[in-house]
Amino acid sequence: MTTRRLLPPPTPRLSFRELVPDDLDDMAALLGDPEVMRYYPSTRTREESLRWIEAGQRSYAEHGIGLWALTVRETGEFAGNCGLTRQLVEGEVFTEVGYLVPPALQGRGYATEAALACRDLARDVLKVDRLISIIHPDNVPSRRVAGKLGLTLERTALYYGLPRSIYSTTFGEN
């Protein structure tokens, strides 16, 4: 059985597409940037960035969702990635919305705009009951994005052995 692959619709300023190996230069720059990755255990190497892309491709094939490449509609410029992934948190699997935007494009609302489209896809098309975001407790910008999505702090959980804030929302009768 083939899983139906989904994409959020374009937003006023951004488009979504699946990550492909040709995105390696952009993803290696994004994941190798100390500012972007300051709330992760470390930056990623070029090889690790390729594995990130490959993990996305497996997620598209297995679940129909994943972290998608973002591009600025007006220029085609790479604007990071955003999407929905299945995450194991303390023995339970949840749908998570995640987002990363290059430093040069931060502060323009792109993460919020893209994440809202992903939230709506999760709620309206995937019919998930609950959406989470796993956020480093000190990551104020990501906490703000989560709030704009309607996610609130639920608890602290160990995620890959590290304490993380779990923000969540439920959609009720989907």
Side-chain angles (χ1 to χ4, degrees), residues 90-101:
E90 296 183 333
E92 265 189 279
V93 177
F94 301 100
T95 300
E96 183 200 21
V97 59
Y99 32 86
L100 289 173
V101 174

Side-chain angles (χ1 to χ4, degrees), residues 6-96:
L6 301 170
L7 283 174
T11 69
R13 300 180 297 161
L14 301 168
S15 291
F16 294 86
R17 65 172 173 73
E18 291 186 0
L19 286 166
V20 295
D22 283 349
D23 291 314
L24 182 56
D25 288 343
D26 288 325
M27 286 305 299
L30 182 72
L31 299 175
D33 188 299
E35 186 178 337
V36 171
M37 301 300 285
R38 68 188 173 276
Y39 297 110
Y40 285 76
S42 66
T43 56
R44 305 288 166 96
T45 65
R46 188 169 177 83
E47 184 177 309
E48 290 168 329
S49 299
L50 179 59
R51 288 201 302 266
W52 181 287
I53 293 168
E54 291 167 346
Q57 293 178 321
R58 281 191 305 278
S59 183
Y60 309 143
E62 293 171 15
H63 306 291
I65 57 172
L67 291 171
W68 297 290
L70 291 175
T71 55
V72 177
R73 290 179 65 182
E74 191 173 292
T75 64
E77 178 183 6
F78 178 80
N81 72 43
C82 182
L84 301 168
T85 56
R86 305 290 289 154
Q87 297 289 348
L88 181 65
V89 179
E90 296 183 333
E92 265 189 279
V93 177
F94 301 100
T95 300
E96 183 200 21

